[in-house]
Structures are given as structure tokens and as C-alpha cells.
Amino acid sequence: MDVGYYKYRFSRLHTAKLKGKQAPHKAVLLIAVMRLVARGVVCSPEIELTEELVKTYKEVWAEKVPASCPFSCSIGQPFFHMQHEPFWRLLEHGEAYDMMTDELGLYDNLTKDMPNGYSVGAIRRKFRCAVIEKQLYDVICDAENRRVLEELLTIKYLNYNSPYTKVSDTFVYE
């Protein structure tokens, strides 16, 4: 899979809506993860809910989410609900993941139960980490791919007044 596949997936995130606006949380989370990959903090497809991820998420939110946004900044819900995207899985403590064979298929139809609340602590107690597809990790290791995906996420989910036109499963930005 190449960056085109992830442009397609990222442009179709399952998001909540409020007052006609799409929730920015998943886009902010993905941008935060990509920035941690760029800085060498995230070095594998395993994404732990660390203090560094929380801090980067808040920085991206402050930088990218307009003040008119009707949503509040929280990382717990998007970290948990991202499991409904085909490239993100949650691993509970003690659950195995084979990075060498990228065996996420075992978890494809298994939606994890919600922990007791969406707090960072509750998520950490229930889940060891999230795992993204190895192909996605490989794609976001490339600086140009990160730039393209961040631009797409910003325009589609974080800039409520930005025009875009749907053209055969991709978005062309005007």
C-alpha cells in the first residue's frame, strides 16, 4: 500500500458531528502520531498513550483547531474510537502482536470494550498500546508522505472553511 491508500482512508475517518462540524480529534491524533514518528519518539507501529503523545496532541490541537470549534480537546475518546478505522487496533495488556508478520488480521473484527471512562489513566489501565498497520508506519516514516497526509487531515477536518472537491476517491484542494 502506498500513500494514496492512506489518503483515501484518512479522508474517510469515522467522526462524530456537532453543529454540522466533523470532530477534529482523530485528525489531531494522527498528526500527533506522525510528528512523533518524525522526531524519532515513535519507532514502530506500536503507539503507546505516553505523556509525550498527550503533550503533542495538545500542541497540535492548539495549533490547528480553530477557536470556533464546538469540540473540546481530549485524547481518550479518539485513541479508543480509532479502533473503528481499518488501520488501527488496540492491544490489551498481555495481548500479543507479531510485528515481524504484522499480524493484525487476528483482531480485524474484534472491537474492544470501552474502559471505565475515557480518561488517559483508564485507557492505559486497559490497553498496552494501539497498533497501526506496518504499511502505514512505513508510509509515515517518509517526510513527504507525512506532509501530504497532514495537509489532507488539516484541510478535511481542521479548517472548517476550506474548500475541497471530491474527485474519484481522492480530494483535490483548491
Side-chain angles (χ1 to χ4, degrees), residues 1-7 10 34 37 133-147 149:
M1 290 179 237
D2 63 359
V3 70
Y5 173 77
Y6 292 104
K7 285 172 60 178
F10 283 19
M34 289 189 292
V37 168
E133 291 175 329
K134 174 134 180 13
Q135 296 89 345
L136 174 56
Y137 176 76
D138 292 343
V139 164
I140 64 177
C141 281
D142 178 81
E144 178 60 15
N145 290 341
R146 285 191 308 272
R147 185 196 65 74
L149 292 171

Side-chain angles (χ1 to χ4, degrees), residues 4 16 44 49 53 66 85 93 96 99 121 129 142 151 160-161 164 173:
S44 80
L49 187 52
L53 178 56
E85 305 302 336
H93 295 282
M99 194 180 326
C129 65
D142 178 81
E151 179 182 358
Y160 295 148
N161 299 316
Y164 63 88
Y173 305 103

